[in-house]
Amino acid sequence: MLRIIDARTHQPATAAPARRGPTRVEAHAPGRDTTGLRVLLVADLLVRALELDGTPAWALLTGVEGGTRLRADAAALGVRPFEDDGAAGPGAGQAVYVVRQGGATPDGATVAVAPADAAGQDTAGLAAPDAVRLALLERHHHARVELDASALDDARDTLARWRRAVAAWARQPSRPVPGEVRDQLRAAWEDDLDAPGVLSVLRRVETDPDLPDGARFEIYAYADRFLGLHLARDVGAPA
């Protein structure tokens, strides 16, 4: 069951209603900056985790200036579309709010997102947006993150290595995701959207000598439904 740490109480709270009704995910981005992008990214992770849990989710963006440009930046980052607050949607259900850490806390279950500092990097133009996304995912959303040149270079290198590996593994006979690994991945993202925990599982899988390559491929493809890093992008491309 997907749980978040509610910023109001600092205690775990269930993000999905007991009867699997829709969950309204409302992102309160502070503006068109790196922290605003991180708020939308965490909201995107919440929607993905809910859907993987079998819970319908309705994503909304509210209370932000420059929303059109922020949406464009978020789309480049792999964040799926958010509707405007007030749009017609599914019937009443649970609401979860995703806000900047230190900002106003709505009256409902709330995920607080720590600031992200671009450190002079060109994240507004979003050169190498997948690397920006991975660099943000490397730190838990409760921890401040600095997107300096070193962090972005490491993210680019990791993505290039993983995409080459996934493309190579895809050429081997498919094998199912081992139950133990599936449980580890789900335990991570269901524990307050622990993206670093998911990445840690993938790093172990990458070098585990006991796993066949076909299973590695399926594990990475499964985890990417949460991470949204396009890890299978190069499958079928010339070696």
Side-chain angles (χ1 to χ4, degrees):
M1 180 67 71
L2 175 60
R3 295 183 181 276
I4 60 167
I5 300 299
D6 192 334
R8 302 168 305 158
T9 64
H10 306 289
Q11 297 296 320
T14 303
R19 295 187 179 181
R20 288 288 189 261
T23 291
R24 171 190 173 108
V25 176
E26 190 172 301
H28 292 245
R32 189 191 177 225
D33 58 12
T34 313
T35 300
L37 277 175
R38 195 182 193 195
V39 167
L40 284 182
L41 171 58
V42 173
D44 182 59
L45 293 179
L46 177 56
V47 170
R48 289 170 181 266
L50 285 165
E51 291 176 346
L52 283 163
D53 193 44
T55 301
W58 180 33
L60 297 165
L61 174 61
T62 187
V64 59
E65 295 183 6
T68 300
R69 298 177 69 188
L70 179 62
R71 279 189 171 90
D73 290 344
L77 210 68
V79 173
R80 292 180 293 181
F82 282 68
E83 296 183 51
D84 287 321
D85 185 25
Q94 179 161 319
V96 179
Y97 304 94
V98 185
V99 305
R100 176 184 59 187
Q101 193 178 82
T105 303
D107 185 18
T110 302
V111 177
V113 179
D117 182 2
Q121 301 303 304
D122 184 22
T123 55
L126 289 178
D130 286 347
V132 174
R133 184 177 180 110
L134 176 55
L136 289 170
L137 294 176
E138 291 282 6
R139 298 292 301 277
H140 196 282
H141 61 268
H142 293 313
R144 190 182 188 98
V145 63
E146 183 170 319
L147 296 178
D148 57 18
S150 176
L152 293 174
D153 286 345
D154 287 347
R156 289 189 191 95
D157 291 346
T158 297
L159 278 175
R161 185 180 77 250
W162 280 356
R163 286 170 173 169
R164 285 193 303 269
V166 168
W169 297 335
R171 293 192 284 271
Q172 303 303 314
S174 179
R175 295 289 186 271
V177 177
E180 179 183 0
V181 177
R182 184 184 295 271
D183 290 346
Q184 290 170 356
L185 291 170
R186 293 191 68 91
W189 71 57
E190 290 180 354
D191 181 15
D192 199 30
L193 307 172
D194 183 10
V198 174
L199 295 171
S200 178
V201 173
L202 293 189
R203 289 188 168 96
R204 293 197 300 271
V205 164
E206 182 181 12
T207 58
D208 186 339
D210 296 325
L211 280 172
D213 287 347
R216 287 187 228 274
F217 169 78
E218 296 295 346
I219 291 165
Y220 272 64
Y222 178 62
D224 204 34
R225 293 172 62 189
F226 172 72
L227 297 171
L229 292 170
H230 307 111
L231 297 178
R233 186 192 68 180
D234 295 339
V235 171

